Amino acid sequence: MGLKRRAFLQQAGLTLLTLGISEAGLSLGLNRYQQALAQPTSRKLALLVGINQYPEQVSDRSTHGTALNGCITDVQLQRELLIHRFGFQPSDVLTLTDQQATREAIEAAFLTHLTEQARPGDVVLFHFSGFGSQVKLGENGELIQSLVPVDGVLPTEENPFINDLPEETLGLLLRSLSTEQVTAVLDTSYADPNRAIQGNLRIRSRPTTPTGWLAASELEFQEQLRDRVKISQEQSQAQWRTGQLPGIVLMAAGLDQVAAEGQWNGFSAGLFTYALTQHLWNAMPASTLQMNLSLATGAVEQLVGKEQQPQILGQKSQNPSLLPYHLKLDAATAADGVITAVEEDAKTVRLWLAGVPAAVVENYGQNSLFSLTQLATPADEGVQLLEAVLPDAEATTLPANKRLLQMRTREGLSVRAKIYAASSAVPLQVGQLVQESVRVLPRNVGLTVALDSSLERIERVDATSAFATIPRVTAIAPGEQSADYVFGKTQLGTPTLAASLISASTVEGGEPSQPINGDLPSPKSSYGLFHLGRSALLNTLSKEEEAVKTAVNRITPQLHTLLATKLLRLTSNAESSRLGVRATLEMTAPQERIVMQRETSRAPWDAPASRLAGLFVGDGRLPTLPIESRLQYRLCNYSDRPVYFILLGLDSSGSAIALFPTPAPESNSFDFKAAPADSLLSPGEILLVPQSTPSDWTLQGPPGVVENYVIFSRAPLTQTYSALEISMRSKADARRVSTLANPLEVAQAALQDLNQASLLANSRTDSATDTYALDVNNWATLSFVYQINS
């Protein structure tokens, strides 16, 4: 079988795809990072499969289109990460995409590239992005799960056989490996969604459950694998149900959920794959798989709510100290991207920026700066970075060891950058890693709302008209461009988008079909906002029916809050900041434990050992806390200079909040005049927020997701506290946790303060009027996402 399948691969002419990267991008032998990562005692092998272009025959919902858009990007995301961050040799990373990814080709490639080459102790990664499916074996048979290859056509009366790759086969292939250091990443899902598109997301489940039989050749292949690994059919069928799979299996969603791919400005990708790989680009040596999975889960939750929750399976899934992909990372290779091409003029380069959050990438402004990776020193802060951002950029002078790459244009995740370097600097090379230095963001960032396809034409017209009156909020048709939320309707009392967004006979982009029971009265419904994953933002729903324009006017304050949250998210930079700060979220009652801990990873000072880290318990999921929990933040400044801080965010009801550090004892209110001093963290200082013992910050509910942002700055956050003071009707309103009446103004003030801190540190007083320029040496925003249960 092995020789047969190897011959099949050779006949198919399967080769590594460069996916648009120049051939020079594969010549990494001289790359110093590759040399540092090389591990001659063990080999690293990967098989990456991604399918966008499915033929119509894989689904009976051809009117919706069966193409996905982000699976090839997923393959590229993993490939660049494995080569440049984990030290895989390019020749050891095999990719199968689109027409190459037939069932036989995937099985053959697994055997020849992984099973027949891997030895005990080697590291193996298998990745699949594409459709998953439930399959019914015969009219009264059992339901199984499968991966859908490009030739996974539906059964017909003439040919009643399923050509999918069953989960059981994948489990047997994983068992056929001689190593236990194996990771499978499956960015797909199996639940029948009865739809292909969900708002601006594409669903990676086949939108129907076919009935048929596995082909005789597949059954024979399974039997040969069982003989090879010496397990019974009953054991092989139970391995997914019991979790007895080799190594680790990372699933993009639970069995009863759907996995989605997101659309950003210029690119699409699996929500899970992008979030996971983005965090792994920046993971530090002590970072575990579960820590990174928890961060990725939080990133997915912010986009789609609870509709997609990544899962971890496998025999090693309960090991809290397990390393990502079974490999220890080198701090010197933490990066935001990599040079993929040096253009002929030697004055410009191409960068691949997959270590940056997707929302930041699509909002990057021209002139954003990057530098080559290097271990930071306090002396680095003397370089005047903003000189290359502000109008007199041509006058920029840099020391011989400092080279800056200034973003000029962007296409998807690929950026063309101008080189700023001393004339004596060594020429840049393909494969060198880069890190963010200055984040330039437009001041006019807006909120984009997709109008749900289930709305009638007149409803969409009225909604478009109403949204047009709200500054910085744009309404679009679903699938038209990147969106933040969906505006739609739901039946009263049901917190899920009505009509599953697209009915079974809707043509993509067309009118919804008429209901079969059209003569019956329609159920009462409420308009509101929904996550892209269809779950409602409950504070935007009404208990009574209303006109579309009335509903849009009603939710205008919530739209301002969501835009403010988007701005805060764009400042998140735990991975790129060079401030030496740490924040730990602790629960003090009903029990004591560490909920989450975030710290900057590129500071030039050594972070002190945390005696609290041993109390941290993580399982790769979003942290969950009960209502009435008492919480506190432990803030640490381990740099050699003072920093200022503020805590902002969203509570579980969707309201914008501020957490104040030190209320006046006699009034229990916050003194805004003393705000800069009270929010100062001296070098080496550790501060509890709130400072009361025991903590008097109590989670009130309702059940839902909470986002907190701890913002640190080298300069006082004067404008932010001024905006907070305006938000309060009186000084007495500034309690421990206060709801903000003007969240958008507060968020804009915070960005202006961070912009000002960067200007002052670079000895500048002028500022661009249409952008914020944020220097990583002068600010850090640490984000905390967790959920509250009753």
Side-chain angles (χ1 to χ4, degrees):
M1 179 64 72
L3 292 175
K4 176 182 176 182
R5 293 187 179 274
R6 187 181 297 110
F8 177 86
L9 281 175
Q10 293 170 346
Q11 292 170 6
L14 300 176
T15 59
L16 287 173
L17 296 180
T18 62
L19 295 166
I21 306 301
S22 67
E23 290 187 9
L26 298 178
S27 180
L28 301 173
L30 297 179
N31 187 304
R32 61 191 178 96
Y33 300 106
Q34 287 298 112
Q35 293 175 344
L37 286 168
Q39 296 183 15
T41 58
S42 64
R43 194 173 180 185
K44 306 165 189 174
L45 300 166
L47 172 60
L48 313 177
V49 181
I51 308 170
N52 282 343
Q53 299 301 319
Y54 281 96
E56 291 185 358
Q57 293 87 342
V58 303
S59 167
D60 61 4
R61 301 286 301 283
S62 59
T63 52
H64 288 166
T66 51
L68 297 172
N69 294 327
C71 299
I72 305 301
T73 305
D74 288 0
V75 167
Q76 190 174 7
L77 288 168
Q78 285 282 20
R79 184 176 184 277
E80 300 303 315
L81 174 76
L82 295 177
I83 292 172
H84 299 293
R85 187 80 226 269
F86 285 91
F88 281 62
Q89 293 299 314
S91 59
D92 288 333
V93 181
L94 178 63
T95 63
L96 300 179
T97 58
D98 284 344
Q99 299 307 310
Q100 296 175 324
T102 64
R103 177 179 61 81
E104 281 230 356
I106 296 171
E107 293 172 350
F110 199 107
L111 287 176
T112 58
H113 186 67
L114 301 181
T115 302
E116 295 179 11
Q117 292 195 89
R119 298 291 179 263
D122 286 352
V123 171
V124 169
L125 177 82
F126 173 76
H127 179 103
F128 178 86
S129 285
F131 281 138
S133 180
Q134 288 185 337
V135 174
K136 188 177 181 182
L137 298 180
E139 288 297 333
N140 300 313
E142 64 174 322
L143 281 175
I144 65 169
Q145 283 74 46
S146 65
L147 307 181
V148 182
V150 72
D151 60 344
V153 297
L154 292 170
T156 63
E157 290 186 6
E158 297 76 19
N159 182 23
F161 297 105
I162 303 284
N163 201 43
D164 289 3
L165 196 159
E167 240 184 13
E168 181 181 354
T169 301
L170 178 58
L172 290 168
L173 286 169
L174 293 173
R175 283 186 173 276
S176 72
L177 297 165
S178 299
T179 178
E180 296 181 353
Q181 311 285 82
V182 56
T183 303
V185 181
L186 305 180
D187 200 337
T188 187
S189 54
Y190 310 113
D192 184 350
N194 197 31
R195 62 191 180 277
I197 299 176
Q198 182 168 284
N200 272 45
L201 305 176
R202 286 185 176 267
I203 304 304
R204 290 186 173 178
S205 292
R206 177 190 267 149
T208 186
T209 299
T211 299
W213 304 96
L214 295 181
S217 59
E218 181 64 18
L219 294 173
E220 178 186 359
F221 182 51
Q222 287 183 349
E223 187 60 34
Q224 292 172 343
L225 288 173
R226 281 193 288 268
D227 289 343
R228 182 171 189 160
V229 300
K230 295 179 173 54
I231 65 171
S232 67
Q233 183 175 2
E234 291 74 18
Q235 290 173 317
S236 69
Q237 291 174 343
Q239 56 189 340
W240 287 88
R241 184 176 65 254
T242 60
Q244 295 304 303
L245 294 160
I248 289 295
V249 178
L250 301 179
M251 305 281 295
L255 284 179
D256 58 346
Q257 297 178 323
V258 292
E261 59 179 38
Q263 176 185 350
W264 291 274
N265 182 13
F267 65 99
S268 295
L271 298 182
F272 176 61
T273 297
Y274 194 97
L276 178 66
T277 56
Q278 186 259 312
H279 284 291
L280 291 180
W281 268 103
N282 294 281
M284 298 306 289
S287 178
T288 66
L289 174 64
Q290 291 184 345
M291 290 178 182
N292 285 281
L293 183 59
S294 179
L295 292 173
T297 299
V300 172
E301 180 104 20
Q302 287 179 325
L303 291 171
V304 297
K306 296 182 179 179
E307 298 297 311
Q308 179 179 342
Q309 296 179 314
Q311 308 287 314
I312 181 170
L313 307 173
Q315 294 174 343
K316 295 187 176 183
S317 61
Q318 301 304 311
N319 182 354
S321 61
L322 193 67
L323 297 174
Y325 298 173
H326 304 280
L327 290 168
K328 186 174 180 62
L329 291 165
D330 187 337
T333 64
D336 296 312
V338 61
I339 297 176
T340 57
V342 179
E343 298 190 355
E344 291 182 1
D345 61 5
K347 296 180 180 179
T348 55
V349 295
R350 289 280 180 179
L351 307 178
W352 173 255
L353 296 180
V356 179
V360 174
V361 172
E362 72 170 350
N363 283 285
Y364 260 141
Q366 191 180 53
N367 296 333
S368 292
L369 295 181
F370 303 87
S371 58
L372 297 183
T373 56
Q374 59 183 12
L375 295 179
T377 65
D380 291 334
E381 300 188 28
V383 179
Q384 304 296 300
L385 297 180
L386 291 197
E387 294 291 333
V389 175
L390 297 170
D392 58 348
E394 295 302 329
T396 300
T397 57
L398 293 172
N401 66 336
K402 190 73 176 180
R403 283 168 288 183
L404 293 178
L405 308 175
Q406 182 191 61
M407 174 177 160
R408 306 307 297 167
T409 60
R410 179 183 67 84
E411 296 178 7
L413 291 167
S414 179
V415 164
R416 184 172 178 269
K418 181 178 180 180
I419 301 171
Y420 281 92
S423 57
S424 59
V426 177
L428 298 179
Q429 299 180 36
V430 167
Q432 287 181 295
L433 303 180
V434 299
Q435 296 175 339
E436 183 180 46
S437 292
V438 175
R439 181 178 300 180
V440 177
L441 298 172
R443 290 179 183 254
N444 64 346
V445 171
L447 198 71
T448 303
V449 179
L451 303 181
D452 178 31
S453 296
S454 70
L455 296 175
E456 300 289 342
R457 182 178 181 278
I458 186 61
E459 292 174 306
R460 297 200 295 272
V461 170
D462 287 347
T464 301
S465 174
F467 279 113
T469 66
I470 306 174
R472 299 176 64 177
V473 177
T474 304
I476 62 169
E480 190 174 87
Q481 63 187 65
S482 174
D484 299 299
Y485 298 93
V486 175
F487 177 79
K489 60 184 177 182
T490 185
Q491 295 181 18
L492 291 176
T494 305
T496 305
L497 200 55
S500 295
L501 291 163
I502 295 181
S503 64
S505 57
T506 302
V507 177
E508 184 175 344
E511 294 295 322
S513 62
Q514 295 297 318
I516 296 175
N517 59 343
D519 294 333
L520 298 177
S522 300
K524 292 184 177 182
S525 58
S526 169
Y527 296 105
L529 294 173
F530 299 80
H531 289 287
L532 299 181
R534 297 197 310 141
S535 59
L537 280 70
L538 296 180
N539 68 339
T540 69
L541 299 180
S542 172
K543 295 182 179 179
E544 299 179 356
E545 288 192 305
E546 60 190 336
V548 172
K549 290 187 176 181
T550 302
V552 173
N553 290 334
R554 174 179 54 79
I555 65 174
T556 297
Q558 287 89 341
L559 290 167
H560 290 161
T561 297
L562 294 172
L563 178 53
T565 305
K566 181 176 181 177
L567 294 179
L568 293 178
R569 290 174 181 172
L570 289 176
T571 70
S572 182
N573 73 332
E575 294 85 1
S576 64
S577 174
R578 294 180 184 270
L579 284 188
V581 293
R582 170 192 290 159
T584 306
L585 178 60
E586 306 171 10
M587 182 168 68
T588 61
Q591 65 184 69
E592 293 187 4
R593 71 179 178 94
I594 302 302
V595 179
M596 299 178 70
Q597 181 169 284
R598 302 298 308 274
E599 65 184 4
T600 53
S601 56
R602 297 179 188 168
W605 305 275
D606 293 331
S610 174
R611 64 180 181 83
L612 302 172
L615 301 175
F616 174 79
V617 178
D619 59 3
R621 298 180 176 87
L622 205 63
T624 301
L625 304 176
I627 292 177
E628 299 299 326
S629 296
R630 289 182 177 269
L631 301 180
Q632 66 184 14
Y633 276 99
R634 185 180 299 265
L635 308 183
C636 173
N637 174 13
Y638 59 87
S639 73
D640 62 359
R641 59 210 66 190
V643 296
Y644 299 83
F645 68 89
I646 195 167
L647 287 85
L648 303 172
L650 280 180
D651 65 15
S652 58
S653 71
S655 298
I657 59 170
L659 178 64
F660 296 104
T662 314
E666 60 278 1
S667 63
N668 197 36
S669 64
F670 187 70
D671 183 359
F672 285 99
K673 292 182 179 179
D678 288 339
S679 63
L680 175 67
L681 205 58
S682 301
E685 183 180 1
I686 295 176
L687 179 69
L688 294 179
V689 178
Q691 295 181 24
S692 56
T693 304
S695 171
D696 58 1
W697 174 24
T698 304
L699 293 180
Q700 300 297 331
V705 176
V706 176
E707 295 183 37
N708 293 159
Y709 295 89
V710 187
I711 302 175
F712 298 92
S713 172
R714 286 272 304 277
L717 297 160
T718 307
Q719 296 185 56
T720 310
Y721 276 109
S722 295
L724 285 174
E725 184 173 15
I726 295 172
S727 178
M728 308 304 166
R729 295 186 180 91
S730 68
K731 299 286 182 64
D733 284 338
R735 302 293 176 175
R736 179 74 69 212
V737 179
S738 293
T739 301
L740 304 182
N742 60 341
L744 183 54
E745 288 76 8
V746 171
Q748 290 172 315
L751 274 161
Q752 183 57 39
D753 277 332
L754 299 181
N755 181 77
Q756 190 66 23
S758 297
L759 288 171
L760 293 175
N762 284 268
S763 303
R764 299 293 298 241
T765 57
D766 55 333
S767 175
T769 59
D770 58 348
T771 60
Y772 302 106
L774 312 182
D775 186 338
V776 298
N777 292 305
N778 301 298
W779 114 92
T781 299
L782 309 182
S783 64
F784 293 79
V785 181
Y786 55 94
Q787 59 187 355
I788 301 175
N789 282 348
S790 55

